[in-house]
Amino acid sequence: MTNVEAIDPTTCTAWKSLLKVSQETSSTTIRELLADHPNRPAEFSLEAAGIYADFSRQRVSKNALDLLYGLAEQTGVFSLRDAMFNGELINTTEGRAVLHTALRRPAGQPLDVAGIDVVSEVHEVLNRMGEFSDAVRTGAWTGATGKRITDVVNIGIGGSDLGPAMAYKALQDYRDRTITCHFVSNVDPSDVGEVLRDLNPESTLFIIASKTFSTLETMTNAGQGRSWLVSALGDAAVAQHFVAVSTNAEEVAAFGIDVRNMFGFWDWVGGRYSMESAIGLSTMVAIGRENFQQLLQGFHSMDEHFATAPAGENLPLLMGLLSVWNRDFLQVPTTAVLPYSHYLSRFPAYLQQLTMESNGKSVRRDGSTVSYDTGGIYWGEPGTNGQHSFYQMLHQGTSTIACDVIVVAQSAHGHDDQQDMLVANALAQAAVLSLGRTAEEVIADGTKAELVAHKVMPGNRPTTVFMMQKLDPFTLGALVALYEHSVFVQGAVWGINSFDQWGVELGKKVALGILADLRAKTSKDSQLDPASVADIDKYLSLK
């Protein structure tokens, strides 16, 4: 197994220097940084793979930035990055490589892992996905009664749902309008029930996405979908209306799916890093294999940049280091992701899993407990909707919240004046969040004395503006990869394993025990605590 020593970052000289700098500059404001350094936007902006990032509104000095680069070196960020790209087993708790980057590596660029060219295997699956998606899109693949497929139901959970659902929304302008995709993830029967109630079984295709084909929520919903189809078309129709994204051929066959219509992936593909694998089958059906290839190229372009760009020019590196700076040295616990794009409305939800499942850890890779803050809280909504919801707290609340403002320059629908209105709001919010408004400025506006305090905006919210020309498959891939690598950098500095998720597993195990009790209609379970027993009794009485 790869030696991926977990360094305690607080023992690094750069960390200690950063603590000192953060204390010395604690009263320095973003307003002052911009006023004192007019060239700051040029010096604190980077661009890669079609993504422009302006970090000039981050509350960080050039000195602190240099120290952050030193911290990356001292905590082994670069060596761990190289180990990841080389296919070494950096997921130490599960003994696995971390190779989502291989999913978007071009054919003809082999990568040997344990004697196997994983890139060749990836493209074999991509080619099969392409053939299948072509067949569905052209009508060559029909339902059991010969009708064309008009609706695709993707059933999965976590990364098997969040990535495809986000991409489908983001790339709606590129999809085949004769096919509508639906996404079912919640085990709440209302989720699958609401999707199926208005569909026609004769023209509906199900994609069941579960690596083991045993995920409780996914297989429960898949069972409901199967029953719905069989009641209308009979058992023989299952093979024509269901395909699987899985590695468990035995269970797939037992379900009634032809294993020739099973699309596999590998244990080095984590769920939250899987949208460009076979998990993206619904995406390919929606946008076509050529656009899907553009998506992969966007991912790969950002991968290449992260792998090769010098530290001072490396966009994901800088983004990740500033996240560490905000979390550990400015004590900013949360980041609001604010995409000024209706198409990116599911992007904050996607990032919640990517960031918090990856870095929500309290022990380092060697099992030692951390003594510092790790993964921050990520959340958000698209602008301008959020402006009329939670922005009040962003501007005047007692908690400082960092903000990622995402801007798309060109609208897919024209209406340039309306697009200008949208972007004006985005840039205005970035300005006010970071600069604020002083009492003197409020008074100068002619505000009554008794209202001055109510209209002061403290500003000083660390804010990054990301901008792209348009939201196309290539740019979406680059944007997702940018956040992926930022998450990697943060985890590497903190010395944690960003690629396991043991905290998810315990709840699943306990749920199975409680489910057995509910089915037996009893709370007499010696393994349960008194509160759980009382809750089970109350539920059974209400039911």
Side-chain angles (χ1 to χ4, degrees):
M1 186 174 294
T2 303
N3 178 19
V4 283
E5 180 185 2
I7 297 169
D8 180 346
T10 65
T11 64
C12 296
T13 57
W15 185 283
K16 296 172 183 177
S17 296
L18 284 163
L19 279 176
K20 183 178 179 181
V21 168
S22 66
Q23 293 163 1
E24 292 173 347
T25 60
S26 60
S27 61
T28 302
T29 65
I30 298 169
R31 179 185 283 244
E32 291 168 339
L33 289 170
L34 285 167
D36 293 343
H37 305 281
N39 200 42
R40 184 177 169 86
E43 295 175 350
F44 281 74
S45 297
L46 290 175
E47 188 166 359
I51 308 292
Y52 166 84
D54 176 5
F55 297 107
S56 64
R57 297 181 184 89
Q58 291 291 325
R59 188 157 64 85
V60 64
S61 66
K62 185 66 169 62
N63 181 34
L65 196 56
D66 290 339
L67 289 169
L68 285 167
Y69 289 130
L71 182 64
E73 184 68 48
Q74 293 169 24
T75 53
V77 171
F78 304 110
S79 59
L80 192 66
R81 174 198 63 186
D82 295 343
M84 176 181 72
F85 278 104
N86 290 334
E88 299 178 36
L89 306 185
I90 67 169
N91 181 351
T92 51
T93 61
E94 297 179 308
R96 295 174 180 171
V98 174
L99 276 178
H100 49 280
T101 56
L103 295 172
R104 51 262 198 157
R105 194 161 169 149
Q109 292 187 16
L111 179 63
D112 185 278
V113 177
I116 298 172
D117 177 12
V118 296
V119 175
S120 176
E121 291 191 343
V122 165
H123 281 272
E124 180 182 351
V125 174
L126 284 172
N127 288 336
R128 291 184 56 235
M129 291 168 60
E131 292 169 359
F132 176 77
S133 65
D134 286 348
V136 173
R137 289 164 62 86
T138 61
W141 178 291
T142 66
T145 63
K147 287 192 175 182
R148 286 190 61 148
I149 299 300
T150 60
D151 293 272
V152 174
V153 180
N154 185 91
I155 299 181
I157 198 166
S160 299
D161 167 79
L162 287 165
M166 179 275 291
Y168 181 71
K169 179 72 174 180
L171 299 176
Q172 274 198 345
D173 191 50
Y174 293 84
R175 76 174 178 87
D176 182 340
R177 295 286 167 161
T178 66
I179 300 173
T180 302
C181 292
H182 312 266
F183 298 89
V184 172
S185 58
N186 199 327
V187 76
D188 183 339
S190 298
D191 193 3
V192 66
E194 284 295 330
V195 168
L196 297 181
R197 70 186 306 167
D198 296 323
L199 300 186
N200 180 356
E202 293 180 277
S203 57
T204 298
L205 174 72
F206 291 87
I207 299 174
I208 312 302
S210 172
K211 184 182 292 187
T212 63
F213 227 64
S214 62
T215 308
L216 179 63
E217 298 93 338
T218 299
M219 298 317 300
T220 299
N221 283 325
Q224 292 292 351
R226 190 185 192 283
S227 297
W228 173 81
L229 183 89
V230 167
S231 67
L233 303 178
D235 279 303
V238 171
Q240 200 63 23
H241 289 266
F242 281 81
V243 299
V245 178
S246 180
T247 57
N248 192 338
E250 184 176 351
E251 289 298 325
V252 166
F255 189 90
I257 297 174
D258 189 333
V259 293
R260 290 175 297 181
N261 300 320
M262 181 182 84
F263 301 87
F265 52 115
W266 305 267
D267 64 3
W268 42 258
V269 181
R272 56 193 176 276
Y273 296 93
S274 65
M275 62 174 280
E276 66 274 35
S277 71
I279 291 296
L281 183 59
S282 63
T283 308
M284 188 181 283
V285 170
I287 67 175
R289 72 157 89 188
E290 293 80 9
N291 282 322
F292 195 85
Q293 185 60 38
Q294 287 294 310
L295 179 73
L296 297 181
Q297 288 178 12
F299 272 105
H300 181 67
S301 182
M302 189 62 74
D303 292 344
E304 287 287 281
H305 170 78
F306 179 54
T308 63
E313 303 170 16
N314 197 305
L315 176 51
L317 176 67
L318 177 55
M319 182 179 173
L321 291 174
L322 287 172
S323 296
V324 171
W325 168 255
N326 287 334
R327 185 76 171 109
D328 290 294
F329 299 96
L330 300 187
Q331 283 72 56
V332 177
T334 180
T335 297
V337 180
L338 312 171
Y340 278 75
S341 166
H342 179 69
Y343 286 142
L344 288 174
S345 59
R346 293 289 292 163
F347 192 57
Y350 174 79
L351 289 183
Q352 286 175 353
Q353 185 194 25
L354 174 63
T355 59
M356 293 194 281
E357 192 168 270
S358 294
N359 287 340
K361 314 287 172 62
S362 55
V363 295
R364 287 187 286 272
R365 292 190 295 272
D366 59 8
S368 58
T369 303
V370 304
S371 59
Y372 43 86
D373 290 325
T374 60
I377 301 164
Y378 279 71
W379 58 284
E381 283 288 332
T384 55
N385 295 26
Q387 292 177 202
H388 296 268
S389 176
F390 54 80
Y391 276 45
Q392 169 62 40
M393 182 177 175
L394 296 185
H395 286 297
Q396 291 184 307
T398 56
S399 297
T400 298
I401 298 171
C403 298
D404 286 357
V405 177
I406 303 174
V407 175
V408 179
Q410 296 180 0
S411 168
H413 297 275
H415 306 294
D416 286 352
D417 185 65
Q418 191 166 342
Q419 183 69 9
D420 289 347
M421 184 187 303
L422 175 70
V423 174
N425 273 275
L427 299 183
Q429 293 298 325
V432 178
L433 284 164
S434 55
L435 300 180
R437 195 150 186 80
T438 66
E440 291 75 17
E441 289 169 333
V442 173
I443 292 170
D445 287 340
T447 303
K448 294 179 180 179
E450 62 269 23
L451 291 180
V452 169
H454 297 278
K455 293 191 174 185
V456 169
M457 306 285 175
N460 226 27
R461 276 49 174 162
T463 302
T464 299
V465 172
F466 297 97
M467 198 175 298
M468 61 204 76
Q469 185 174 41
K470 60 181 179 179
L471 184 62
D472 56 18
F474 180 94
T475 307
L476 179 66
L479 182 66
V480 174
L482 171 61
Y483 274 90
E484 287 179 349
H485 296 317
S486 171
V487 166
F488 172 89
V489 169
Q490 295 168 56
V493 169
W494 289 321
I496 60 178
N497 182 359
S498 298
F499 303 103
D500 60 13
Q501 54 279 330
W502 299 106
V504 178
E505 304 303 321
L506 179 59
K508 293 180 181 179
K509 181 179 180 181
V510 174
L512 289 173
I514 292 177
L515 178 59
D517 294 334
L518 296 180
R519 286 172 172 169
K521 296 182 171 56
T522 179
S523 63
K524 303 300 185 287
D525 188 333
S526 60
Q527 296 184 354
L528 292 177
D529 62 275
S532 296
V533 169
D535 289 342
I536 289 174
D537 285 337
K538 184 64 176 177
Y539 169 75
L540 291 173
S541 70
L542 290 171
K543 188 178 180 182

